[in-house]
Amino acid sequence: MFAHAFVRKMYESAADTHRAKSLAEYPKPRGTRSLDLSPSLTSSTGLLTEELQCSICLDVFTNPVTTPCGHNFCKTCLKECWENIHDYNCPMCKKTFSQKPELKVNTTLRAIVVHYKKRNHLKIPEVLCDICTGTKRKALKSCPACQSSFCETHLERHLSVPGLKQHKLIKPVKSLQDHLCQKHDRPLELFCRDDQRCVCVICTVTEHKTHNNVPVDEESEEKKTQLMKRRTDVQKMIQDRLKKTEEIQHSVKLRKKNTVKEKADCVELFTDLIRSIESCQSELLEVMEQKQKAAEKQAEDLIKELKQEIAELKRRDAELELLSHTEDHLHLLQIYPSLCSPLDTKIWTGINVSTCVSVETLRRAVVQLQETLDKKLSQSVMKRIQQYAVDVTLDPETAHPELILSEDGKQVQHRNINHGYSHNAKRFDKYLIVLGKEGFSSGRFYFEVQVKGKTQWNLGVAKESINRKGELQLCPENGNWTLWQTNGNKYEACESAPVSFSLNGKLQKVGVFVDYEEGLVSFYDVKARSHIYSFTDQFFTEKLYPYVCPWTNDKGKNSTPLIISPVSYNE
């Protein structure tokens, strides 16, 4: 005990000498020295530099402390400002405190400063031996029990004297006071898992007696493992956002390419029209340009937000990387909770930029034209949407038991007998419906169905989860978008409130066009090459399947099959 007390007293005396010398050499407050920032401090990291800069000495923080009003300063700078005064106030906002605040180093901010200095090749103050007289040498280890740091020579006693050999040595640190229990003035060598705080040996036999206490280094290693797992999650989030950034950039390029093609088609169409429709052409091109700019602006905003999240995640990754290798166990445990708090990031799944230009934009322009121009414009639209033709084959696994499908899956008709199909979850059991084999969850697709000779039918598209057992109402709210012919020459669009309309002639062949991203389902009279009806502003979230219903054969009056027809571009 005597040897320990003597050594400690000697070390404290040397430490006092060192601190006095440091204070004498420390830069004066703002206004007494010129601003001298290194090139790396004033380059691309200027904004971060300002945030990590003490407003008193105008240098990057050294042992930063935080005042009750929330401002940060170097610990020594603030102490100098408060020397020989009785009114303690913040040098930044001038807020006065009723009593002198207790200054504790902001360990999280200090870790960020250290990492920043390393990244920007700034000089990090070395920890010097507290025992050396004259020229002080670099400390090799620090001893929380002795509250001193030692060079290789002065460390020898800790490696040879029995009483000192029991002291736990750590990597050299300047803030040794942070490693002592403020209540018992003993080293913080244990960690209380119940209270999630570092404690000393005396704490474990008093208020933490019944708690789960483990050595600091043991808990630190476990936290490092958890930090590495957390870092893996953060890195994955970075990669996911980088991938999403690439997807958005690709979507913008594809959108632009489609826009160029669409504009070229429109220009080719309108060059053949008379002067009376020139205003409509200009309006249409302007709308398309506005949509393109809106898409680019949307992508720009999304990319900016992604980059901000990536930057934040990289900063968190850098902190995790630095601390996952630290030997300062106490510091790690003190800032661990703040580093493991979840980041405020957006869920990017499902956020995309549309790559398609709406056919509906062109269709709305058509209704403004003179009736004599309708046919030519409709022909142009038909030509364009037929480019998205797909090969549809009907799925016998979904067909109602009274339906008959052709061997090639292209025709369907009703017979008043049950054909004994196997029961399964996909099959319709009440209504005479069959779906296509292939579903679509993006882009555009188009198919044609011959309805010639039929008196009743119902066709369109349906979502994958459409009710196949029992009652089914025909409307978008129930996952189907269809057109219905009933009583010979009457037609209805199956909205929640059905929309009835008449056509100049009886339909022979119906074209069905879907733009998934645009939320559009349109029907066309293939023979007249004209538009019939559109479901607009829909929101699709699952696969859409071609939907065909031939209705009952009505004692032979409606026995003609519905036929999936190959697209004829010259019809």
Side-chain angles (χ1 to χ4, degrees):
M1 288 296 293
F2 174 77
H4 174 70
F6 174 78
V7 170
R8 182 168 184 177
K9 185 174 182 181
M10 178 181 67
Y11 289 165
E12 288 176 349
S13 176
D16 290 341
T17 303
H18 173 63
R19 282 191 288 270
K21 182 178 179 182
S22 299
L23 286 173
E25 296 174 350
Y26 201 86
K28 300 302 179 184
R30 186 201 299 265
T32 63
R33 62 189 292 264
S34 60
L35 180 62
D36 183 20
L37 299 179
S38 64
S40 60
L41 203 63
T42 55
S43 57
S44 59
T45 58
L47 183 58
L48 180 58
T49 299
E50 292 180 5
E51 296 297 326
L52 301 180
Q53 187 175 310
C54 174
S55 61
I56 298 176
C57 67
L58 302 180
D59 256 331
V60 177
F61 290 122
T62 300
N63 286 334
V65 293
T66 305
T67 59
C69 57
H71 294 113
N72 298 301
F73 306 94
C74 297
K75 186 174 183 179
T76 306
C77 292
L78 193 55
K79 279 187 174 181
E80 285 186 357
C81 285
W82 286 351
E83 280 184 1
N84 303 319
I85 62 173
H86 300 288
D87 293 329
Y88 302 104
N89 57 45
C90 172
M92 179 72 73
C93 66
K94 305 304 179 184
K95 179 178 177 60
T96 301
F97 311 117
S98 57
Q99 59 183 7
K100 185 177 181 179
E102 182 181 358
L103 298 178
K104 292 184 179 181
V105 175
N106 186 327
T107 54
T108 301
L109 181 56
R110 182 177 61 187
I112 294 172
V113 169
V114 171
H115 181 71
Y116 169 79
K117 288 181 177 180
K118 286 183 177 179
R119 284 292 179 92
N120 291 276
H121 308 291
L122 300 180
K123 183 180 179 181
I124 300 175
E126 292 183 342
V127 178
L128 301 178
C129 177
D130 291 320
I131 312 303
C132 288
T133 58
T135 302
K136 292 185 174 292
R137 286 178 290 180
K138 181 179 179 181
L140 191 63
K141 291 289 183 180
S142 293
C143 177
C146 298
Q147 284 290 285
S148 296
S149 299
F150 309 99
C151 64
E152 184 175 2
T153 300
H154 292 107
L155 185 64
E156 183 62 31
R157 290 183 59 80
H158 272 74
L159 303 178
S160 58
V161 176
L164 298 179
K165 286 173 69 175
Q166 304 301 317
H167 293 188
K168 189 174 184 64
L169 301 175
I170 63 173
K171 183 180 178 181
V173 294
K174 282 185 173 294
S175 53
L176 279 167
Q177 187 65 30
D178 295 340
H179 292 256
L180 282 183
C181 175
Q182 295 185 3
K183 187 172 182 179
H184 303 111
D185 201 29
R186 296 292 296 273
L188 296 169
E189 298 175 339
L190 299 165
F191 183 80
C192 175
R193 286 180 171 170
D194 293 348
D195 293 338
Q196 289 293 298
R197 54 176 294 188
C198 296
V199 296
C200 70
V201 175
I202 298 178
C203 290
T204 62
V205 296
T206 54
E207 62 263 38
H208 296 270
K209 182 177 180 179
T210 61
H211 295 182
N212 181 13
N213 301 303
V214 297
V216 163
D217 52 357
E218 178 183 329
E219 183 68 15
S220 178
E221 289 303 320
E222 183 173 328
K223 289 293 192 290
K224 283 184 182 180
T225 301
Q226 295 174 7
L227 283 175
M228 289 304 296
K229 292 180 180 178
R230 176 61 178 162
R231 187 187 177 203
T232 300
D233 294 339
V234 170
Q235 288 176 333
K236 184 179 183 303
M237 292 173 71
I238 292 173
Q239 293 303 317
D240 290 344
R241 280 150 182 75
L242 287 172
K243 183 178 179 181
K244 178 60 70 173
T245 301
E246 292 176 358
E247 289 177 1
I248 293 175
Q249 290 173 334
H250 176 71
S251 298
V252 173
K253 290 180 181 178
L254 187 57
R255 169 91 190 203
K256 197 165 187 176
K257 181 179 178 181
N258 289 340
T259 299
V260 171
K261 187 178 183 304
E262 294 283 351
K263 289 171 67 176
D265 291 344
C266 290
V267 170
E268 180 182 356
L269 169 66
F270 280 102
T271 52
D272 296 334
L273 300 179
I274 59 176
R275 184 173 298 177
S276 62
I277 65 168
E278 288 180 351
S279 60
C280 180
Q281 176 188 8
S282 177
E283 179 182 343
L284 177 61
L285 293 177
E286 182 180 354
V287 169
M288 293 173 65
E289 198 66 38
Q290 289 174 350
K291 284 194 172 185
Q292 173 60 29
K293 289 180 179 179
E296 291 181 349
K297 180 62 169 60
Q298 179 192 8
E300 180 182 350
D301 293 342
L302 290 174
I303 291 172
K304 181 178 179 181
E305 191 171 354
L306 279 164
K307 287 181 177 179
Q308 289 175 344
E309 287 198 9
I310 290 169
E312 181 62 26
L313 288 168
K314 284 183 176 179
R315 282 195 290 271
R316 177 59 63 86
D317 180 51
E319 294 175 24
L320 294 173
E321 177 188 17
L322 176 67
L323 291 170
S324 62
H325 300 291
T326 184
E327 292 183 13
D328 189 345
H329 307 303
L330 176 61
H331 168 59
L332 170 63
L333 295 174
Q334 288 174 332
I335 69 170
Y336 177 81
S338 64
L339 289 177
C340 290
S341 60
L343 291 172
D344 186 17
T345 56
K346 179 183 290 188
I347 298 176
W348 289 92
T349 304
I351 299 179
N352 296 289
V353 176
S354 173
T355 61
C356 301
V357 179
S358 173
V359 175
E360 184 64 9
T361 302
L362 181 59
R363 193 198 68 76
R364 288 175 180 174
V366 172
V367 299
Q368 300 174 20
L369 300 177
Q370 299 174 7
E371 187 176 345
T372 56
L373 302 176
D374 253 0
K375 184 176 181 179
K376 186 170 184 177
L377 193 53
S378 295
Q379 288 175 343
S380 175
V381 172
M382 284 293 297
K383 180 180 177 180
R384 292 166 60 203
I385 65 174
Q386 285 178 329
Q387 297 174 12
Y388 300 98
V390 295
D391 183 16
V392 173
T393 301
L394 300 176
D395 184 2
E397 293 295 316
T398 66
H400 184 277
E402 294 184 9
L403 293 180
I404 296 179
L405 272 63
S406 61
E407 290 186 3
D408 62 1
K410 301 295 183 182
Q411 301 185 29
V412 59
Q413 60 186 138
H414 174 242
R415 294 283 178 85
N416 288 322
I417 58 173
N418 190 312
H419 299 286
Y421 295 151
S422 61
H423 293 284
N424 63 70
K426 296 170 60 178
R427 191 177 305 286
F428 290 88
D429 65 359
K430 183 174 179 65
Y431 296 102
L432 303 172
I433 299 170
V434 60
L435 301 181
K437 283 186 176 181
E438 184 180 0
F440 303 86
S441 58
S442 64
R444 299 170 170 181
F445 65 95
Y446 172 81
F447 63 96
E448 295 179 352
V449 182
Q450 181 176 306
V451 297
K452 183 179 180 180
K454 299 287 291 179
T455 58
Q456 291 190 84
W457 49 263
N458 175 227
L459 60 90
V461 294
K463 66 180 182 181
E464 189 170 21
S465 62
I466 186 175
N467 182 30
R468 308 179 190 215
K469 311 297 180 184
E471 296 294 331
L472 173 65
Q473 182 181 355
L474 296 177
C475 64
E477 288 75 13
N478 288 325
N480 56 85
W481 297 263
T482 64
L483 202 65
W484 181 19
Q485 177 187 347
T486 180
N487 298 326
N489 199 31
K490 293 183 179 179
Y491 301 95
E492 284 185 355
C494 298
E495 298 273 14
S496 52
V499 179
S500 301
F501 52 87
S502 298
L503 300 174
N504 292 332
K506 195 170 184 179
L507 287 172
Q508 306 294 309
K509 187 181 291 187
V510 177
V512 182
F513 174 73
V514 176
D515 186 330
Y516 195 97
E517 282 77 20
E518 193 69 25
L520 173 70
V521 180
S522 293
F523 296 87
Y524 292 87
D525 181 344
V526 177
K527 184 177 181 180
R529 304 187 72 75
S530 61
H531 174 261
I532 301 174
Y533 187 82
S534 285
F535 293 89
T536 60
D537 300 324
Q538 305 299 302
F539 183 67
F540 304 129
T541 58
E542 55 185 280
K543 280 188 176 182
L544 298 180
Y545 289 82
Y547 165 110
V548 177
C549 173
W551 282 81
T552 63
N553 60 23
D554 194 18
K555 298 180 180 180
K557 297 178 183 178
N558 190 40
S559 60
T560 304
L562 288 175
I563 303 173
I564 305 296
S565 303
V567 174
S568 176
Y569 298 98
N570 297 319
E571 190 169 332

